[in-house]
Amino acid sequence: MSESKSLLRDERALSEACDWIAANVDGAVAELDRMIAVDTSFPPGLGYDDFAGLMEGFVAPLGFATERVTVPESLWKVPNGPAAGPRTNLVASRASGRPVCGLYFHVDTVPATAGWQRDPLRMERDGDRLIGLGAADMKGSIAAILLALRAARACGIELAYDPMLLFCTDEEGGLYPGIRYLAEQGKLSGHILNFNGSAEARVWAGCFGLFNLLVRIHGQAVHAGEGNRKGSGLNAIEGALPLLNGLMALKAQIATRTSALPPPLGKPPLTAQLNLAAIEGGTAGGQVPALLELTINRRYAPEERFEEALAEIEAVIRQSVAAVPGLTVETALVGHLMPTADPAGPHWPRWQAAMGQGFGYAPEDFRRWGAASCSDFGWVQRATGQQEVLLGGLGRPDRNIHSPGEYTTVPDIVSLAQAVLSYLAADFRPDLNPDIPPSQS
C-alpha cells in the first residue's frame, strides 16, 4: 500500500473515532452526573475515597490497573485546620511498552457557595449546558478523557502513548496537594497533560503561587451585658478591627506589584493579590465573642518570594494585635501552591495541533498567556526537574467556575475528547511527535 493511501486510511479511522465520540457523548454526560454527585469539596475533602472508588469502576473496563496512594496525615494535617479525611489519590496505568503520557485531574471542587438556585451536587441539563459543582473545574474533563479512551478502544485506534490517569487531591489551595506527593514519591512518568485549564486557543505561560493563612484571634467570652465594663471580657471581633484595617492597607500596596507574566489578550497586567477569603466569629447575641477566625488568601507573582510575602503579613498581624491589650493570636499555614514556571517544551506543538483538531482552532488562533490563578504543578516542576506541562481543559470566562451555576457544555466535552484522542493516536501528526525517531515519522 502506498504511503498516501496508508495516510488516508489512518485519517479516516481517526475521523470515524471522532464521530463515535459525538455519537456516544450521552454516556459521558451520565458519568459526569455520577461524579458531581460525589461531594469532593475542599475544604474539608471528605469524599476522596468515594470518588476513587467511582473512578476504579470507570477505568477497569478500559484495562487499567489502579493504585490508591494516600498522602500521610503528617504532611497535610493542621490542628483545627479545615482539611479532614484521608487524602486518597488514584493512579490508573496501562503499560504496554509505549512512552507514558500522564493525564492529570484534580478531583476536589471548592465548596458550594450561597446563590445556587439548584442542588449543586445534582447535575442539571439545560439544552447543551451541564450545570453542577465541578462541571467545568474539572470533573467534565474526566468525562471527556474517558470518552476519548473508549473511542480509541471501540474504533481500534493505535495509541502513541500509554496513558497514566492521575486523579489527585487538594488542588484547591491545599497544604500538600496529591500531585506533589506523587511527584516526590517518583510515581510520575513521561510528560503530563494537565486538564485544569482552558478550552480556548491558549499556550500556557505559567501562573502565580498561592498560600492560605488561617489566623485565630482570641479574646475572652463573658455575658454580653457585662462586656462594656472595664476588665470584663474581650471582644475578639472588635479587637480584630485594627488587623482588618492593616490588611486592607497592605492589600492596596500588594495590588501595585505587577508581573512580567503575559496576561490574556486585551487584559491588564497581572498583579499580586491579597484577599480576606473567609471570616467566622461569635456564637450568639448574648455573649461577647472569644474567637475570630480569618483566612487570608495571598496570590504571589513568580517574581516574589513566598517567605517575604508571608513575613509581611505576619508583621501586620503582630503590629495590629499589639494595639489591643490582652488579645492573643495564632496563625497556621493551611494551603500553599508555588508558582508554575514557563511550562514550554517539545510536546506543545503537537498538543496545539490536537486542540485545533478537536475545537476547530487554526494555528494563528493560539495566544500565549499566564494567570494569577494557580496550579499545583509548580511542586511537580520542583520535584521532578521537568519543566514542560501541557495544559487544556474546559475552562472559559463565562462558565461560572467557583461560582453558583457552574457549567460546561456537551459540545466542549466532545471537542476535548476529540482533541485528546488525536493527541494520543499514533497516526496523528507523527512529524510533530518528539518521542518518535525522525526516521519513523
Side-chain angles (χ1 to χ4, degrees):
M1 182 181 296
S2 69
E3 184 176 344
S4 60
K5 287 183 179 180
S6 176
L7 182 60
L8 183 62
R9 181 199 62 189
D10 296 338
E11 290 176 349
R12 186 182 301 116
L14 186 56
S15 177
E16 290 173 355
C18 287
D19 290 342
W20 189 96
I21 286 173
N24 290 273
V25 69
D26 284 348
V29 171
E31 289 184 344
L32 177 57
D33 187 10
R34 294 179 63 187
M35 292 183 220
I36 289 173
V38 180
D39 185 357
T40 54
S41 57
F42 172 78
L46 291 171
Y48 295 147
D49 264 345
D50 289 341
F51 199 84
L54 182 64
M55 292 301 101
E56 286 168 340
F58 285 168
V59 305
L62 292 168
F64 283 90
T66 57
E67 178 188 8
R68 294 193 180 198
V69 181
T70 303
V71 182
E73 189 173 288
S74 60
L75 296 177
W76 59 266
K77 187 69 171 178
V78 176
N80 299 316
R87 308 342 251 174
T88 304
N89 300 266
L90 186 71
V91 179
S93 56
R94 196 174 64 186
S96 70
R98 301 183 182 95
V100 173
C101 176
L103 305 173
Y104 161 86
F105 319 94
H106 71 78
V107 304
D108 53 324
T109 71
V110 296
T113 187
W116 279 87
Q117 297 179 356
R118 52 180 61 84
D119 184 348
L121 298 179
R122 293 187 63 184
M123 192 189 77
E124 180 172 325
R125 182 165 182 172
D126 181 8
D128 278 339
R129 289 193 177 196
L130 307 172
I131 307 164
L133 183 63
D137 182 26
M138 58 180 291
K139 293 177 179 178
S141 291
I142 300 175
I145 277 59
L146 294 178
L147 180 60
L149 294 173
R150 290 194 178 93
R153 170 163 287 201
C155 300
I157 300 297
E158 181 184 354
L159 302 185
Y161 297 100
D162 283 331
M164 175 184 283
L165 309 180
L166 306 164
F167 302 99
C168 296
T169 58
D170 287 7
E171 185 275 343
E172 298 290 0
L175 184 60
Y176 217 98
I179 191 68
R180 174 185 180 181
Y181 186 68
L182 293 180
E184 292 176 352
Q185 297 301 307
K187 297 285 187 180
L188 306 182
S189 298
H191 67 292
I192 298 180
L193 241 172
N194 176 352
F195 293 101
N196 193 26
S198 176
E200 299 174 286
R202 177 188 185 186
V203 177
W204 195 29
C207 64
F208 279 33
L210 165 157
F211 64 87
N212 292 319
L213 186 68
L214 176 63
V215 183
R216 292 191 180 96
I217 298 172
H218 297 273
Q220 181 181 354
V222 295
H223 189 290
E226 304 294 323
N228 61 351
R229 295 185 182 182
K230 185 176 181 180
S232 178
L234 183 58
N235 191 311
I237 294 177
E238 294 175 1
L241 290 176
L243 172 58
L244 296 176
N245 289 331
L247 290 172
M248 291 305 293
L250 179 60
K251 176 186 177 80
Q253 297 175 26
I254 288 171
T256 65
R257 303 171 190 170
T258 60
S259 173
L261 202 62
L265 187 67
K267 301 292 184 180
L270 300 173
T271 61
Q273 299 176 25
L274 183 150
N275 295 299
L276 308 183
I279 191 166
E280 183 178 1
T283 56
Q287 184 184 62
V288 169
L291 175 66
L292 180 138
E293 293 186 331
L294 170 68
T295 300
I296 302 168
N297 174 263
R298 175 70 157 88
R299 295 175 184 270
Y300 64 102
E303 295 88 347
E304 299 182 279
R305 293 184 66 247
F306 161 71
E307 294 80 7
E308 293 174 354
L310 178 61
E312 68 178 352
I313 294 174
E314 291 177 332
V316 170
I317 293 172
R318 287 194 300 272
Q319 181 180 2
S320 301
V321 172
V324 185
L327 210 64
T328 60
V329 64
E330 57 180 323
T331 63
L333 187 69
V334 295
H336 186 200
L337 305 176
M338 68 182 301
T340 301
D342 186 351
H347 296 88
W348 266 98
R350 190 164 177 271
W351 173 236
Q352 287 175 237
M355 281 285 287
Q357 179 87 353
F359 287 90
Y361 296 129
E364 61 270 17
D365 293 333
F366 284 86
R367 297 290 185 272
R368 180 178 178 272
W369 76 81
S373 59
C374 305
S375 169
D376 41 11
F377 269 75
W379 294 119
V380 176
Q381 289 178 328
R382 188 174 82 164
T384 66
Q386 179 175 309
Q387 292 297 110
E388 184 183 42
V389 184
L390 307 182
L391 187 71
L394 294 173
R396 293 187 187 272
D398 66 343
R399 296 307 196 241
N400 300 328
I401 292 175
H402 290 196
S403 303
E406 178 182 352
Y407 75 96
T408 189
T409 68
V410 173
D412 271 1
I413 286 180
V414 169
S415 294
L416 182 59
Q418 292 172 341
V420 172
L421 175 64
S422 297
Y423 185 78
L424 294 177
D427 295 322
F428 177 75
R429 295 302 304 269
D431 57 308
L432 294 179
N433 191 336
D435 298 311
I436 297 178
S439 60
Q440 299 179 25
S441 61

